[in-house]
Amino acid sequence: MSQPPDSYGVVGHPVAHSLSPFIHAMFARATAQQLTYRAWDVAPPELLQRVAEFFAGGGRGLNITLPHKIAAVDLAQQLTERAAHAAAVNTLAAQDGVILGDNTDGAGLVRDLCHNQGLTLAGSRILILGAGGATRGILAPLLELQPQGIVIANRTAERAQSLAAAFADLGTVGGTGFGQFDAQPFDLIINATSASLSGEMPPLPAAALTPDTVCYDLAYGKGDTPFVVWARQRGCRRALSGLGMLVEQAAESFELWRGVRPATAEVLAALRARQG
Ligand code: NAP
């Protein structure tokens, strides 16, 4: 008798909007892997029990999305170095009898910026707006590329400052409030706030960007996000949403689970067509 396919999924709250089932189904088809991938809406009080049941029932791996990425650190029995540094987990994998927690967000962003977009970030000035879970995940991989420096600006300045202090051993990184940093142009501005989700734009001095500044919104949705619209209106030639990062972080998770790296270009093109 043939074995049932290995079981994977994404856990979030809400999760109905998630594109991960579509992405992983395409990866599985392209790499001829037999697996199922579902979305589970799990409220915070049920997280521990539902994840434990999933793995006890033979589940092989989960993606973890909002609002559970920080709580998921405690669900893992072992953490990769990048997940430990980020103190946030977006991928769980059953490996050798242990539940491993990883964070593939930063690697996904760097892959999209450097491989798909062809950027070189060594020596660059980077501004990150926001100091939440996503910023935690992307800081170490960005600092590894040896930019001249990273400024984290956040609505709540103290969160930006404590995050900068936590990563200061990896490179030049400072934290501040919105409107409190010197508005010299940056080479790359990353919007890692969730302001786009409510149709808002974090306050940002126009002098922070030139037409050559690359603007990257981690958020994505149907059409352009407010941050992408804002950047284009100010003459920015390259303003991008986070779909590329989404697909690349998913490819990292898939490789961790299955030991095979899926190609991403076709999946990204399909998503862009779908999202408009
Ligand atoms: P989070 O932990 O909830 O952090 C939210 C951040 O946004 C905080 O810094 C918060 O500031 C700030 N913020 C919220 N509303 C704001 C507003 N109206 N104006 C200015 N700042 C505001 O969220 P997260 O996990 O870091 O996620 C951030 C974004 O990244 C989300 O849009 C998420 O979808 C996206 N993301 C995308 C990918 C991808 O693969 N493309 C992966 C991960 C995350 P305070 O500290 O002052 O509250």
Side-chain angles (χ1 to χ4, degrees):
M1 241 169 53
S2 64
Q3 295 275 340
D6 289 343
S7 172
Y8 296 88
V10 56
V11 170
H13 185 66
V15 82
H17 65 285
S18 174
L19 298 171
S20 295
F22 177 85
I23 294 170
H24 284 281
M26 276 192 82
F27 286 165
R29 268 197 306 279
T31 56
Q33 298 285 308
Q34 300 301 315
L35 58 86
T36 62
Y37 188 105
R38 292 176 53 194
W40 284 285
D41 192 323
V42 176
E46 297 157 25
L47 181 70
L48 184 65
Q49 191 189 341
R50 292 286 298 277
V51 169
E53 281 170 5
F54 173 81
F55 284 109
R60 305 294 308 155
L62 289 173
N63 283 132
I64 305 292
T65 189
L66 284 173
H68 302 310
K69 287 186 189 182
I70 290 167
V73 170
D74 295 329
L75 303 176
Q77 292 157 332
Q78 207 175 299
L79 292 176
T80 61
E81 201 181 320
R82 59 192 181 181
H85 216 132
V89 158
N90 79 337
T91 306
L92 293 170
Q95 278 192 357
D96 306 322
V98 166
I99 298 175
L100 178 70
D102 194 9
N103 190 318
T104 66
D105 279 341
L109 173 67
V110 163
R111 175 96 183 164
D112 193 36
L113 289 173
C114 300
H115 184 81
N116 300 345
Q117 304 299 329
L119 299 184
T120 302
L121 294 177
S124 65
R125 277 170 47 80
I126 301 175
L127 172 64
I128 301 178
L129 305 169
T135 300
R136 282 189 163 278
I138 65 177
L139 269 171
L142 284 173
L143 285 165
E144 236 171 67
L145 300 174
Q146 301 195 309
Q148 186 189 109
I150 297 182
V151 175
I152 307 167
N154 195 43
R155 184 172 60 180
T156 314
E158 302 76 51
R159 287 186 79 192
Q161 285 153 358
S162 61
L163 206 48
F167 285 83
D169 54 327
L170 301 182
T172 306
V173 53
T176 181
F178 288 142
Q180 290 171 10
F181 53 93
D182 116 49
Q184 272 181 28
F186 289 86
D187 300 300
L188 171 65
I189 302 178
I190 295 171
N191 180 24
T193 71
S194 43
S196 281
L197 301 178
S198 49
E200 292 172 46
M201 168 61 209
L204 186 60
L209 88 166
T210 71
D212 293 326
T213 301
V214 175
C215 288
Y216 194 104
D217 198 344
L218 298 196
Y220 50 85
K222 288 216 177 286
D224 292 329
T225 65
F227 177 68
V228 165
V229 171
W230 177 90
R232 291 215 181 106
Q233 283 171 347
R234 274 150 194 83
C236 172
R237 282 194 277 263
R238 205 138 42 132
L240 306 155
S241 80
L243 265 188
M245 170 179 173
L246 177 76
V247 175
E248 295 297 345
Q249 62 79 29
E252 284 278 319
S253 299
F254 192 91
E255 185 176 9
L256 175 76
W257 292 330
R258 307 302 297 180
V260 50
R261 178 104 196 164
T264 51
E266 203 180 311
V267 179
L268 190 49
L271 277 182
R272 290 223 160 97
R274 196 178 136 132
Q275 295 292 101

